[in-house]
Amino acid sequence: MKQTQIMLSHGSGGLESNSLIEGIIYEILGEVLVHNGEDAGVFESKMPLAISTDSYVISPIFFPGGDIGKLCVCGSSNDVAMRGAKPMYLTLGFILEEGFSIESLKKILYSIKQEALIGGLKILSGDTKVVPKGSADKIFINTTAVGQIHNAEYSVKNLALGDEIIVSGAIGTHGAVIFCQRNEINLQSDLQSDCVQLYPMLEGLKECKIHSMRDATRGGLAAVLNEWANTACVEIEINEPSIPILPQVKGVCEILGLEALSLANEGVCVIATPQGESQKILQILRSHSLGKNACVIGRVTKKADNAKNARVILSNAWGARRYVEYPQGELLPRIC
């Protein structure tokens, strides 16, 4: 009888494991999988490499604009792209709960394959474990991305007085979508997660002068800017009217009492660049569909004596100013 759910025996290392790995995982991912039957994949590179690992436990696993499969590829590839690297390889680790739908697993695998093909990524190595029902929630995925660095100078420590702060797109969209899904808020809109691979948009920035770049995931824009300010000992001032936020996201924030600056993104990056470079960078970003809403939202206004005096300040349309605090507590667990 054809199995429709994951069984504990699928993780035993025996016949059932083989049927899951070769009959389903390899069958779907074969086109992007470096499969040589060995315990470890091998790659060669004459250039320095960036590597990032992350685990994905998002709930729900399917959401408007993506699923945990798309998310795990985009999330890890974006992390290495933020260090000036072209994502090249991925490793995949699956933790499956007993009873998880094999049909759902197939949908996730197809999403992984599609994103790997979009990014020109190869899956170098992988692992699958099955745990008893109740020991996990459906599926968790760990991914590690490896990329070749074309610009090793991106570092938060490079932030300097006068640097302009650019965001590549509208903020808070992923977080707003997951909040609505989690709270069963039925929006009459086409709002979708911004989950996407950023490297295709950023590839044209190779020759631009960039001091630092970060993707604004958990904690959103507020977390990135506060981390920059604290690490570089600077004061950053941002202009509220300049920050792109979709009307639907603003509506969600008003309904739920949320701060868009602290909502997660999965397809937005923040760039710090010397003032003379900002227009060149904006032109390149806006020439790509992912960067059409890119804009300068602020700048580094002064150096701080120490990290305690480093801060992020928001100016609104009426000239009032307030501190943007580092997000505290767990705003929304399992956002990615």
Side-chain angles (χ1 to χ4, degrees), residues 43-80:
F43 61 88
E44 296 180 1
S45 175
K46 295 180 180 180
M47 299 176 65
L49 301 174
I51 185 169
S52 177
T53 191
D54 209 342
S55 296
Y56 296 87
V57 297
I58 190 168
S59 177
I61 57 175
F62 298 100
F63 49 86
D67 57 43
I68 192 172
K70 179 180 182 180
L71 180 64
C72 75
V73 178
C74 293
S76 285
S77 64
N78 287 346
D79 283 343
V80 299

Side-chain angles (χ1 to χ4, degrees), residues 105-117:
L105 175 61
K106 288 181 177 180
K107 287 178 64 177
I108 291 165
L109 291 170
Y110 279 117
S111 290
I112 291 172
K113 177 183 177 179
Q114 181 179 4
E115 286 304 312
L117 290 171

Side-chain angles (χ1 to χ4, degrees), residues 132-143:
K133 193 170 186 65
S135 298
D137 186 4
K138 303 180 182 68
I139 179 171
F140 298 155
I141 304 177
N142 174 271
T143 53

Side-chain angles (χ1 to χ4, degrees), residues 15-329:
L15 184 63
E16 290 84 356
S17 291
N18 188 67
S19 67
L20 172 65
I21 294 169
E22 295 203 0
I24 296 177
I25 296 176
Y26 286 0
E27 180 69 23
I28 294 173
L29 297 182
E31 188 175 351
V32 294
L33 188 65
V34 180
H35 173 46
N36 55 15
E38 303 290 350
D39 280 348
V42 176
F43 61 88
E44 296 180 1
S45 175
K46 295 180 180 180
M47 299 176 65
L49 301 174
I51 185 169
S52 177
T53 191
D54 209 342
S55 296
Y56 296 87
V57 297
I58 190 168
S59 177
I61 57 175
F62 298 100
F63 49 86
D67 57 43
I68 192 172
K70 179 180 182 180
L71 180 64
C72 75
V73 178
C74 293
S76 285
S77 64
N78 287 346
D79 283 343
V80 299
M82 295 303 103
R83 290 305 308 272
K86 178 181 180 178
M88 297 178 63
Y89 297 102
L90 283 175
T91 69
L92 287 173
F94 296 104
I95 297 177
L96 305 174
E97 182 188 23
E98 176 190 12
F100 183 56
S101 162
I102 288 179
E103 195 58 39
S104 293
L105 175 61
K106 288 181 177 180
K107 287 178 64 177
I108 291 165
L109 291 170
Y110 279 117
S111 290
I112 291 172
K113 177 183 177 179
Q114 181 179 4
E115 286 304 312
L117 290 171
I118 289 172
L121 300 164
K122 291 295 185 180
I123 298 170
L124 194 64
S125 182
D127 181 54
T128 303
K129 294 290 188 295
V130 178
V131 297
K133 193 170 186 65
S135 298
D137 186 4
K138 303 180 182 68
I139 179 171
F140 298 155
I141 304 177
N142 174 271
T143 53
T144 296
V146 178
Q148 285 190 338
I149 296 176
H150 57 73
N151 190 331
E153 298 179 358
Y154 296 179
S155 172
V156 64
K157 295 179 181 179
N158 293 334
L159 257 68
L161 192 64
D163 277 3
E164 292 193 307
I165 309 299
I166 296 172
V167 293
S168 66
I171 67 166
T173 310
H174 178 73
V177 166
I178 300 304
F179 256 108
C180 291
Q181 290 290 295
R182 198 82 60 83
N183 292 283
E184 298 182 350
I185 297 173
N186 185 21
L187 289 178
Q188 299 299 314
S189 75
D190 57 355
L191 186 64
Q192 295 190 335
S193 168
D194 60 353
C195 181
V196 71
Q197 292 180 70
L198 290 170
Y199 184 77
M201 175 184 67
L202 302 174
E203 191 171 14
L205 301 181
K206 289 180 181 179
E207 304 303 321
C208 296
K209 182 67 174 178
I210 292 174
H211 282 164
S212 187
M213 183 156 50
R214 286 284 305 275
D215 59 335
T217 53
R218 285 176 295 178
L221 181 62
V224 170
L225 296 181
N226 273 280
E227 184 172 322
W228 276 359
N230 292 341
T231 303
C233 289
V234 296
E235 182 177 288
I236 297 173
E237 185 163 338
I238 56 176
N239 181 35
E240 187 173 40
S242 299
I243 301 172
I245 306 173
L246 295 178
Q248 304 98 308
V249 174
K250 289 182 179 179
V252 171
C253 290
E254 290 173 1
I255 293 170
L256 298 178
L258 302 173
E259 171 64 85
L261 295 174
S262 299
L263 289 180
N265 312 273
E266 290 295 343
V268 173
C269 67
V270 190
I271 298 171
T273 180
Q275 188 172 2
E277 285 285 294
S278 61
Q279 290 307 309
K280 178 181 177 181
I281 290 173
L282 286 176
Q283 184 177 6
I284 293 170
L285 292 177
R286 289 170 179 169
S287 68
H288 194 282
S289 60
L290 298 179
K292 61 183 180 181
N293 293 317
C295 59
V296 174
I297 63 165
R299 58 185 42 82
V300 177
T301 54
K302 66 173 66 173
K303 294 291 289 185
D305 296 333
N306 53 58
K308 289 184 178 180
N309 293 326
R311 52 196 176 186
V312 179
I313 298 173
L314 178 75
S315 298
N316 67 19
W318 298 276
R321 303 166 84 233
R322 67 174 175 88
Y323 294 140
V324 177
E325 302 291 346
Y326 219 128
Q328 298 182 20

